[in-house]
Amino acid sequence: MNMQMLARGWFVYTLTASPLDLAWVMMSFTVPQIALSLWGGVVADRLPKRLILVAAQLLNGIATVAMAVIILLGIANFWHFVWFGVFNGAVLALSIPARNAYIADLVDRTYFITAMALNTSGMNLARIVAPMLAGLLIALLAGGDTTDSFGVGVVYLVITALYLVAAGATLLIRTKGTRHGEATGSRHVDDMIEGLRYVVQNPPVFALILLSIVPFLFGMTLSTLIPAFNQDILGGGPDDLGYLMSAMGVGAIVGSLMLAAAGDFRRKGAWVIGTCFAWAASTTLFGLSTGFVLAACAVAAYGWLSSVNMSLNRGLIQTVVEPRMRGRVMSIDMMSHGLMPLGVIPISIVAEYTDVAVALVVSGFVFAAALGVLLWWSAAVRRLDRWLRVRSR
């Protein structure tokens, strides 16, 4: 997925030279997440989670090899990436809730936060290695021709092989995943509504979901616009983009490993809120960067803060939610991620009519302001630490 993110961003921006088009391609992934994630939560609670994950990996592998053929034939255009995004986003919407809920079936409750952090560490390791590998592969095979599509097509073939490896590795896990309810039935809509009601009526869960929504609305613009920033502001090539994304991954894996090693600690709610504000500051700092070294440091801080924040948030959700509701609550958390275009599209429009650096600075300030409004408006967020102490007794 991280190789695909770089290859897709590089190729789409080469085709269109438009930051807004980068955002539209990202939106094609996220719209299905809004539309289907609640159903994905019901599926996660009703079916063996291992089966869901293997099926999703195989489907994504089939779609990716088809995309590789289109790219290698030289007929790929902007809309191919959009339609591929819709399919890939739909598969993710039906599988990510199961993936996150599956962790709770594999470890004792005491280790939920550590397990989520270690899971994030594995994903962040890919964020270090994969972008660098993809960027260098594209640059090597292109031979200096930045419009050449052959390297991108080869990257997609490598991605296909990795999906097959992932499916095989998942099959080696002995635990199939606990089911809550029957695999078939007509109460899917009722189950979705029950999940939404459960979140609203449980203050710590509600607060953590809100603190997941705001970062995904305003904190992910950097990840979307980094190809444009690399090319327009820093004057970098695909290898430089790979280094920047790997720096983000280094920060992220250090953050998740630090969280995994921390064990139990006090004031977790304050940590969630504090890392949100620092995440906003790192976005602004990246936008103000004029050289590669400062940009790499800023994006590494961004990776560290976002990793700690998301791992801690999801670990706390796993801790406070009832097992029978876990898949549906994780699907609501994922649905909030699908709201990302509502923040990314306006910032991309700012980038289109000014420049990417200005847009990222604006994004950081809006992110911090939105957090301030959330703290003022939501008593559940202000009292998060108190609720977490009550639930832990």
Side-chain angles (χ1 to χ4, degrees), residues 7 13 17 20-22 41 47 50 71 92 97 124 132 150 159 163 166 191 201 216 321 324 327-328 338 378:
Y13 199 69
L20 187 57
D21 282 342
L22 285 175
L47 293 177
R50 187 181 66 181
I71 295 170
L92 288 175
N124 287 334
M132 187 181 299
F150 179 71
I159 294 167
Y163 271 125
D191 286 352
Q201 293 176 351
F216 270 87
V321 75
R324 68 182 185 87
R328 278 166 284 179
S378 173

Side-chain angles (χ1 to χ4, degrees), residues 6-22 25 67 70-82 145-150 152-153 156 227-228 231-232 352:
L6 182 137
R8 182 186 69 229
W10 173 258
F11 194 66
V12 169
Y13 199 69
T14 299
L15 285 174
T16 67
S18 169
L20 187 57
D21 282 342
L22 285 175
V25 171
M67 194 67 192
I70 292 171
I71 295 170
L72 290 170
L73 289 175
I75 58 175
N77 59 42
F78 169 75
W79 289 105
H80 285 116
F81 287 92
V82 169
D145 182 4
T146 59
T147 63
D148 183 59
S149 62
F150 179 71
V152 177
Y156 271 73
Q231 187 165 322
D232 293 355
E352 194 88 2

Side-chain angles (χ1 to χ4, degrees), residues 27-114:
M27 189 172 181
S28 71
F29 282 81
T30 54
V31 167
Q33 293 178 22
I34 300 174
L36 298 174
S37 60
L38 287 177
W39 185 31
V42 174
V43 171
D45 285 335
R46 291 188 176 203
L47 293 177
K49 298 174 184 66
R50 187 181 66 181
L51 173 65
I52 298 170
L53 297 185
V54 172
Q57 288 155 352
L58 291 175
L59 286 171
N60 278 329
I62 293 169
T64 304
V65 74
M67 194 67 192
V69 171
I70 292 171
I71 295 170
L72 290 170
L73 289 175
I75 58 175
N77 59 42
F78 169 75
W79 289 105
H80 285 116
F81 287 92
V82 169
W83 294 122
F84 176 77
V86 170
F87 178 84
N88 194 220
V91 173
L92 288 175
L94 295 174
S95 62
I96 293 297
R99 177 188 178 91
N100 288 328
Y102 196 17
I103 294 171
D105 291 334
L106 301 176
V107 300
D108 184 82
R109 183 179 183 275
T110 308
Y111 303 108
F112 280 175
I113 292 177
T114 299

